[in-house]
Amino acid sequence: MDMGKMRKTDSHGDCFVGDLFADEDFGRGEKVDETVQYDFGDLFERLSQSAFRSGFHLKSRDVEYVCDKGMAVIRRHAEDFVHRRLAPATPPNDGRQTPMRGHPVFIAQHATGCCCRGCLAKWHGIPAGRGLTETEQGYVVGVIMEWIRRQMERA
């Protein structure tokens, strides 16, 4: 399946029909802004202790997609997903809004506990019931991108 397209693949009814992004070349070739650094402390160690979280890995087609699009485009996708699906105070279908497959960012969200507001509260101490600040959205995207970076190093 083309990673730029989604179809209904799970029992939760999560689906996209057609292109995920209007302009797939958006961000291609851009440099990733690495001036903002986050201290993830022991987050990745704690995640590795969870059988569920540590079971997620990028498959070869995900790695190929990241290589093809580049990290700047993947970051833009992550920013968009976080803004639309996670940042609202009460996201639609909270707890089920992130598909289990179909895009490297979705895999990273589950692997890092950034998939729903409940997991954000449990793993990152970001309370549910209020919208995410821009700083919190940046942190979440940073976590997702760090996980993807680590996965790409292993590939």
Side-chain angles (χ1 to χ4, degrees):
M1 176 173 78
D2 177 3
M3 295 296 241
K5 302 239 186 234
M6 285 290 299
R7 59 187 166 90
K8 186 174 180 179
T9 58
D10 64 20
S11 62
H12 299 299
D14 294 322
C15 72
F16 287 97
V17 177
D19 293 329
L20 280 174
F21 307 98
D23 183 359
E24 276 298 308
D25 289 328
F26 179 71
R28 186 186 302 268
E30 289 182 21
K31 297 285 185 202
V32 174
D33 179 10
E34 303 213 11
T35 58
V36 177
Q37 298 290 320
Y38 296 98
D39 177 11
F40 300 121
D42 67 346
L43 173 65
F44 288 97
E45 175 60 29
R46 289 186 299 115
L47 290 165
S48 74
Q49 301 303 310
S50 166
F52 179 73
R53 304 285 166 203
S54 65
F56 289 96
H57 303 283
L58 292 181
K59 293 182 175 19
S60 60
R61 67 181 183 182
D62 300 315
V63 169
E64 185 178 317
Y65 183 77
V66 172
C67 288
D68 180 53
K69 297 297 181 186
M71 291 295 274
V73 171
I74 300 301
R75 177 177 292 277
R76 296 272 191 227
H77 294 179
E79 290 168 347
D80 182 56
F81 291 147
V82 168
H83 178 75
R84 286 188 301 120
R85 295 168 164 253
L86 206 55
T90 54
N93 299 314
D94 194 27
R96 298 178 302 156
Q97 74 265 44
T98 305
M100 297 295 273
R101 60 183 172 263
H103 195 286
V105 170
F106 296 155
I107 307 307
Q109 284 182 268
H110 288 292
T112 60
C114 295
C115 46
C116 68
R117 295 306 297 271
C119 291
L120 274 182
K122 174 181 177 177
W123 289 97
H124 304 278
I126 300 173
R130 63 165 178 78
L132 296 181
T133 67
E134 286 187 28
T135 300
E136 289 167 335
Q137 289 180 57
Y139 165 80
V140 170
V141 170
V143 169
I144 291 166
M145 294 308 296
E146 176 62 15
W147 185 87
I148 291 173
R149 184 193 66 76
R150 290 178 185 208
Q151 288 288 300
M152 295 301 290
E153 282 183 354
R154 295 178 52 192

